[in-house]
Amino acid sequence: MKILAVCLGRPEILAGKKYKTGINKQPLNGAIMVDSEGLVGDAILNRKHHGGVDQAVYLEGSIDLDWWQAELGRDLPYGTFGENLVIDGLESAMLAAGDRLKIGEVILEITSARIPCATFAAKMGEPTFVKRYTHAARPGAYARVLQGGMIESGQAVQFTPWSGERVTVREMMATFGGRLSDPDRARYLAAPVHYKVKDAIRTGKM
């Protein structure tokens, strides 16, 4: 696998909205620094729901984006889904919490699935896109930064799977906001999922 694009967002107001968002991302030329909060200079405006150490970097795989291009019948330039990284040869079905991606000196660890929101639907120009994205079960993934450094398109990506019981990003999307069985609760808590997911489980909200 390799990096096809590294994308950075700037604050913008979407058509029909009054608030600024950083979902509009554009591919970069050259390298950029990645630290514990993600790509340096990337616009993250709604800190309640976006950003933070456990969703510092948002990535999409080329296999899923190719599927979406065919499904939507239009080109999806890199950054369309608000992703920071596009990884060639990656599909969401292969990802689980704790999987690691090494890109040069940078080490990322998968934490959670991308849960679509109204801003995403507005970006796509389709009011029902939240439901459509969820039903497709091809979520992008968030990652924490275990080791920072410089990153740029063209770099090779080394994949190391989580060694414990797997909690896939597809499963996390499917169970979002729902109740887990006792065995699933134990499996989620044993994996390095997003801290907000663990908090929800411990407080009985999942």
Side-chain angles (χ1 to χ4, degrees), residues 181-195:
S181 67
D182 288 343
D184 285 342
R185 283 167 57 90
R187 182 164 51 88
Y188 270 59
L189 289 173
V193 299
H194 194 303
Y195 75 90

Side-chain angles (χ1 to χ4, degrees), residues 148-172:
M150 303 300 291
I151 196 171
E152 63 183 319
S153 62
Q155 285 183 292
V157 178
Q158 178 183 334
F159 176 79
T160 303
W162 169 243
S163 59
E165 287 193 80
R166 296 179 71 73
V167 179
T168 69
V169 294
R170 284 186 174 183
E171 182 181 7
M172 282 187 267

Side-chain angles (χ1 to χ4, degrees), residues 46-66:
N46 184 352
R47 289 281 176 172
K48 180 179 180 180
H49 299 293
H50 302 288
V53 294
D54 272 10
Q55 57 187 65
V57 177
Y58 169 47
L59 56 94
E60 287 275 357
S62 67
I63 294 174
D64 294 302
L65 291 178
D66 287 345

